[in-house]
Amino acid sequence: MGNQLDRITHLNYSELPTGDPSGLEKDELRVGVAYFFSDEEEEVDDRTPSDCGFTKDHSPAEEGPFSVSEVEYSAFCSQECIFSKLRENEDLNVYSAKTLLTMCKPGDLLELVATAQAPHWAIYEQDDQVIHLHKGEIRKDSLLEVSNGRHGRIVNNRYRYRPLPPDLVMQNAVGHLGLSSEEICWTNSESFAAWCRFGKREFKAGGEAHSAEQQYFLKVHLSGSGVHTLVFRSLEDMIRERRRVDASGILKELSLVNGGKE
């Protein structure tokens, strides 16, 4: 985790209307349609497997399981834990894409990881096919091709929201295939895939109304330096910042953002 940033910056993201034109969204199971688009270039690139940051002891050709060096997180909305990526509480081991295929079921949430790169998320369909957001387009591709040597894992429980049934997860994903640019409103693969699985409008850019009472707290667990807490006004802002941390390594001056560590 040698890469470091001198400081972390917060961008002011333009606010968009909510995903539901009426501004209302009920609590029951939801299959939604997206209306607006906020673009962020996606993470899957053309690096060879040897460029993905795995050591000779953990080559991308191995089936796994094995562990990779990663920043760990937990996140809260008010006092409720909504996200957890902590090795002490869960299995963070990764597997080759070939092995991962033997473990997947339709509607599973997948995460592909590589060093110095934000993870790429996708929804598993069947027969090696995944549905994902890549460079502003929602598309269906082979998991083996998308992984390009990266290892991955199933992350159905990474977010603590109540999941939709698998058939509705697939309906969300398949129903948006082929959409691009102004037709969609997710800024990265994680937000799209998580929305498919949980159906929550908060995963959309501008999908929630901001209020002084509601805040998101991201706890960044850094080995040897305690836990640092960042505060955000929306889930989408928090996801984007966390993905920048993943892509950049340990943040040397993270404490400057929130005034210190716990």
Side-chain angles (χ1 to χ4, degrees):
M1 307 295 295
N3 294 334
Q4 296 186 345
L5 291 180
D6 290 335
R7 62 190 179 89
I8 189 170
T9 58
H10 290 269
L11 301 181
N12 293 320
Y13 306 118
S14 57
E15 295 187 10
L16 299 173
T18 61
D20 184 339
S22 68
L24 302 175
E25 195 158 340
K26 299 180 180 179
D27 291 333
E28 66 262 18
L29 301 182
R30 298 179 290 276
V31 178
V33 177
Y35 296 93
F36 302 94
F37 175 70
S38 179
D39 187 28
E40 175 182 284
E41 285 300 305
E42 255 306 321
E43 318 82 8
V44 174
D45 59 26
D46 297 323
R47 293 188 294 178
T48 63
S50 61
D51 296 327
C52 292
F54 298 100
T55 68
K56 63 181 180 180
D57 296 326
H58 295 138
S59 121
E62 293 184 23
E63 294 184 356
F66 54 81
S67 62
V68 293
S69 180
E70 302 175 278
V71 179
E72 299 180 29
Y73 308 92
S74 56
F76 299 80
C77 181
S78 298
Q79 299 299 316
E80 179 185 3
C81 180
I82 62 169
F83 178 96
S84 178
K85 181 187 176 184
L86 298 175
R87 195 172 302 278
E88 64 182 29
N89 297 332
E90 57 195 290
D91 181 10
L92 296 182
N93 287 330
V94 294
Y95 302 82
S96 70
K98 183 177 179 181
T99 300
L100 194 58
L101 283 174
T102 68
M103 304 164 63
C104 292
K105 304 181 300 297
D108 277 349
L109 196 57
L110 306 184
E111 180 187 45
L112 301 173
V113 300
T115 299
Q117 188 179 11
H120 188 76
W121 290 47
I123 294 293
Y124 182 74
E125 186 185 37
Q126 59 183 0
D127 301 328
D128 178 40
Q129 298 296 297
V130 296
I131 298 173
H132 62 136
L133 172 60
H134 177 47
K135 292 187 176 179
E137 179 183 1
I138 297 173
R139 48 190 291 172
K140 178 160 65 173
D141 292 296
S142 161
L143 175 60
L144 295 176
E145 294 178 359
V146 170
S147 67
N148 194 27
R150 293 159 181 77
H151 291 79
R153 56 197 164 207
I154 298 171
V155 290
N156 290 339
N157 298 319
R158 182 69 58 79
Y159 283 96
R160 300 305 175 89
Y161 299 121
R162 178 170 58 98
L164 302 173
D167 59 330
L168 292 186
V169 176
M170 295 313 307
Q171 185 174 336
N172 274 341
V174 173
H176 290 79
L177 274 174
L179 297 184
S180 60
S181 295
E182 68 280 354
E183 299 173 299
I184 58 177
C185 66
W186 297 278
T187 63
N188 55 70
S189 62
E190 178 178 339
S191 293
F192 169 69
W195 175 83
C196 288
R197 182 164 177 83
F198 301 105
K200 293 186 70 66
R201 59 190 281 178
E202 289 88 345
F203 287 107
K204 298 177 181 180
E208 60 184 309
H210 298 297
S211 68
E213 294 76 22
Q214 179 166 296
Q215 292 181 316
Y216 291 87
F217 301 90
L218 177 65
K219 295 182 178 293
V220 185
H221 300 251
L222 299 176
S223 177
S225 61
V227 179
H228 300 255
T229 303
L230 309 178
V231 182
F232 299 90
R233 296 180 62 209
S234 71
L235 177 62
E236 179 61 18
D237 285 356
M238 186 186 74
I239 291 172
R240 293 182 66 143
E241 201 66 66
R242 176 172 50 75
R243 291 172 67 80
R244 277 190 282 272
V245 175
D246 284 333
S248 306
I250 298 175
L251 296 171
K252 183 168 60 178
E253 297 183 9
L254 187 61
S255 61
L256 295 182
V257 177
N258 66 316
K261 64 183 181 181
E262 295 182 350

